[in-house]
């Protein structure tokens, strides 16, 4: 709001300038942004500052124009440092000094550690919130921004925040995790050995792991990958500098590229740190960076896999990261007397910024120097091989896709190499435990220049379930996850500036819009038993108290009154029509949006939403050939404090009775309550005419990641009308009438014989 107000005043002043220039203070007429006779008011809160000696910038991965400058002032820029701004100050209730050790963008907020405590600053309403659940001093915050969508699968990644103290001992347990964007934390327990120090903690969802950097008592570091209850560890590397100088960069794009650097070390990994390599300098005989007696000052990257390195001798190195990282020494010599911060522009060039006080009191401005990469490459004395690829693109670039269980996805890319090119693109999949891949290159004609054109066909498949122990396939489980698929050029030289890697994010999980429906073939409307007009006209139906249990435990006599319920044709359409005593099963269909996919052939269960229990199943446990005692509604509901059939039994807790690891058979004659189109189990309705509202839940954990449920209605007909009188009374009346008729006949016959 303040920025918009100042801009408005600036425009008004321009129009008034010819009339009032003589009245404007000379020191303000030269300001780069404002022409006002008033200074910007100073913030009333605690002015924040960066506690480290060298300035730095934190970029937002999701907004190219949003960044945080940390130095003498802490500044948030929404214009990529093109405009002056007001330094950030803390305006909350806590009494602070204002020393900032680290910060990161989290969702629509900024997570910032001030005086060894984490605070969340809202970028929308500019309010400060103190994080809860952290009871020890911390100095480091780590998070990963997921930017490809605003769907739950991506928001869950961005909501994870890790908090710790760099260089602290792991056995002290001073590590915290938040799953709500940093508002509240819980202590996070990780595997550790004695005398291990923490060098960093990172969320790496594309390998389904939390990764900790471990420094042992031999001054060696490694990365430990924690996936569920298991962990694995990378090879050890020597720590070349104090742990406080270690920097780990998770490059934007979620491809798994890692850069680990300190003043005397620069390592690169293309695969989440599993393999770490030194960065070599092309025009210095493949020597590792940094050279002897030279230290690294800054490292910058962007989401197109480029890297820039500034060293203490004023040299600048530039390169592109792929399966390996090689850089070139540029001809430009940097002025190290200036406190420049280095970052890449939206166009891939390098920007050096220096902060200083603006002429308008209370504001801070930036000086810029742009290093145009292509011009610098043209000036290099080393002959640079030109880009050997004419075209490289794919329609999937930057997109995200869902793959359900056993699902497949086909992608394609166009590749046109020059005649001298000897390599083809390479496909990488970050999470090979979730996806398998197959690549086929096919000739796709010739370009107008006579160059061969190729089509790269990519087929991805969601991998099968993971078997648990020695049980059968019915005792398996699957976990959804995120993977990044990238197609890169093995020989992508520094001159191939516009041929960036092709990338797509693959979510193995429930595709949005996937659902089930019940096939409505024969209904009360099609048979004109209860018309659609009647159902729409405030139609109600009756459930006697004898046939339902309000707690869904199928106990007769638990209801205290009958139910008179309204019928919603909007929710249930016309009821399915089922003749009493006919074995019945609903026909389920799988749909993706408005497109039919297949008939559902998976285990499912159903229950009547009001607790009606006057129906049975045709199969027993023995008849279903169970090898272990199956679950049922009573056992599942009894495990809940407040029985709720909507949550008691689902795909997450379902155990098939064909799993030999299940509980032993104890009631072989009990009814088997799991249905499947291909099994013989059916529902059997009694002598009862009335309405049922059923909810179906697909419980087979191998069928889909989706929670597949639907609700529908059934009208059962064909039963004889109920007796008005009790059967004993009716029989007595009938016998009495029969005796009376016999006696009447006897007396009539006796009188006629006398006559």
């Amino acid at each position: 709001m303040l920025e918009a107000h100042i801009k408005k005043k600036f425009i008004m002043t321009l129009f008034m300038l010819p009339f009032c220039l003589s009245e404007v203070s000379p020191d303000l007429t030269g300001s780069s942004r404002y022409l006002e006779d008033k200074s910007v008011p100073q913030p009333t809160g605690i002015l924040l500052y960066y506690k480290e000696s060298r300035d730095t910038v934190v970029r937002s991965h999701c907004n190219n124009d949003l960044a945080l400058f940390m130095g003498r002032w802490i500044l948030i820029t929404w214009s990529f440092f093109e405009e002056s701004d007001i330094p950030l100050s803390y305006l909350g209730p806590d009494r602070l000094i204002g020393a900032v050790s680290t910060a990161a963008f989290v969702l629509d907020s900024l997570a910032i550690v001030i005086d060894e405590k984490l605070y969340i600053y809202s970028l929308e309403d500019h309010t400060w919130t103190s994080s809860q659940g952290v009871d020890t001093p911390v100095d480091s915050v780590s998070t990963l921004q997921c930017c490809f969508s605003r769907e739950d699968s991506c928001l869950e990644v961005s909501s994870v925040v890790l908090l710790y103290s760099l260089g602290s001992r792991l056995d002290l347990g001073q590590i915290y995790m938040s799953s709500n964007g940093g508002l509240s934390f819980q202590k996070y327990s990780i595997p550790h050995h004695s005398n291990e120090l923490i060098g960093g903690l990172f969320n790496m969802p594309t390998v389904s792991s939390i990764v900790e950097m471990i420094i042992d008592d031999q001054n060696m570091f490694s990365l430990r990958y924690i996936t569920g209850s298991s962990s694995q560890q990378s090879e050890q590397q020597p720590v070349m500098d104090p742990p406080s100088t270690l920097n780990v960069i998770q490059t934007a794009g979620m491809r798994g590229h890692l850069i680990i650097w300190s003043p005397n070390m620069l390592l690169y990994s293309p695969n989440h740190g599993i393999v770490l390599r030194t960065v070599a300098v092309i025009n210095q005989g493949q020597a590792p960076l940094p050279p002897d007696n030279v230290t690294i000052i800054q490292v910058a990257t962007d989401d197109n896999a480029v890297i820039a390195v500034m060293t203490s001798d004023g040299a600048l190195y530039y390169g592109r990261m792929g399966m390996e990282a090689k850089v070139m020494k540029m001809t430009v010599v940097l002025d190290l007397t200036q406190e420049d911060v280095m970052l890449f522009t939206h166009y891939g060039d390098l920007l050096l910024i220096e902060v200083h006080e603006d002429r308008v009191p209370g504001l801070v401005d930036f000086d810029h120097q742009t290093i145009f990469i292509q011009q610098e490459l043209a000036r290099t004395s080393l002959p640079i091989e030109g880009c050997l690829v004419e075209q490289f693109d794919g329609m999937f670039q930057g997109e995200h896709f869902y793959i359900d269980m056993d699902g497949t996805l086909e992608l394609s890319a166009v590749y046109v190499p020059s005649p001298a090119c000897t390599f083809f693109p390479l496909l990488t999949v970050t999470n090979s435990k979730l996806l398998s891949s197959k690549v086929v290159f096919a000739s796709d004609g010739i370009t107008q220049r006579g160059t061969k054109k190729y089509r790269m066909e990519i087929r991805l498949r969601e991998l099968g379930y993971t078997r648990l122990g020695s049980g059968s396939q019915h005792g398996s489980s699957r976990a959804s996850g995120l993977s990044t698929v990238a197609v890169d050029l093995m020989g992508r030289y520094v001159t191939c500036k516009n041929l960036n890697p092709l990338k797509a994010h693959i979510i193995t999980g429930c595709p949005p819009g996937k659902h089930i429906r019940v096939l409505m073939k024969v209904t009360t409307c099609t048979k004109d038993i209860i018309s659609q007009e009647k159902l729409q006209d405030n139609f109600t139906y009756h459930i006697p108290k004898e046939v339902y249990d309000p707690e869904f435990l199928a106990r007769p006599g638990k209801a205290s009154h009958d139910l008179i319920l309204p019928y919603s044709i909007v929710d249930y359409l016309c009821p399915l029509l089922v003749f009493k005593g006919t074995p019945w099963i609903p026909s389920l269909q799988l749909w993706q949006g408005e497109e039919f996919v297949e008939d559902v052939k998976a285990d499912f269960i159903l229950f009547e939403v009001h607790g009606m229990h006057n129906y049975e199943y045709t199969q027993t446990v023995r008849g279903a050939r169970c090898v272990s005692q199956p679950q049922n509604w009573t056992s599942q509901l009894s495990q809940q404090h407040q029985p709720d059939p909507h949550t008691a039994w689902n795909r997450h807790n379902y155990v098939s009775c064909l799993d030999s690891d299940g509980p032993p058979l104890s009631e072989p004659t009990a009814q088997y309550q799991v249905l499947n189109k291909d099994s013989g189990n059916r529902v059997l309705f009694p002598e009862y005419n009335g309405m049922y509202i059923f909810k179906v839940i697909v419980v087979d954990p191998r069928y889909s990641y989706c929670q597949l449920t639907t609700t529908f209605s059934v009208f059962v007909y064909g039963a004889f009308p109920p007796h008005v009188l009790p059967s004993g009374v009716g029989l007595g009346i009938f016998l009495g009438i029969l005796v009376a008729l016999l006696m009447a006949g006897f007396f009539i016959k006796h009188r006629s014989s006398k006559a």
Side-chain angles (χ1 to χ4, degrees), residues 313-368:
D313 58 353
L316 175 66
Y317 298 84
Y318 172 83
R320 294 183 178 273
M321 298 175 289
M323 293 305 295
E324 56 186 14
K326 295 181 179 180
V327 296
M328 294 188 61
K329 185 176 182 180
M330 312 297 270
T331 58
V332 63
V333 178
L334 302 175
D335 185 1
L336 297 182
T337 62
Q338 299 179 357
E339 289 290 328
D340 290 328
V341 178
M342 179 174 63
L343 64 161
F344 282 99
T345 69
H346 312 331
Y347 305 102
D349 295 313
L350 206 57
L351 181 68
L352 303 179
I353 61 170
E354 185 179 13
V355 65
H356 61 82
E357 292 188 48
D358 193 87
R359 289 193 173 187
V360 176
L363 291 175
V364 175
D365 203 358
F366 303 94
D367 289 335
H368 307 80

Side-chain angles (χ1 to χ4, degrees), residues 34 138 154 202 313 471 487 510 578 581 743:
Y34 304 103
V138 293
C154 199
F202 315 98
D313 58 353
V487 182
C510 178
V578 178
M743 291 179 67

Side-chain angles (χ1 to χ4, degrees), residues 19 73 137 162 182 213 372 392 418 437 501 621 682:
F19 304 98
W73 303 277
L162 301 166
M213 177 183 281
F372 297 98
F392 178 53
S418 68
S437 61
V621 172
R682 298 293 183 266

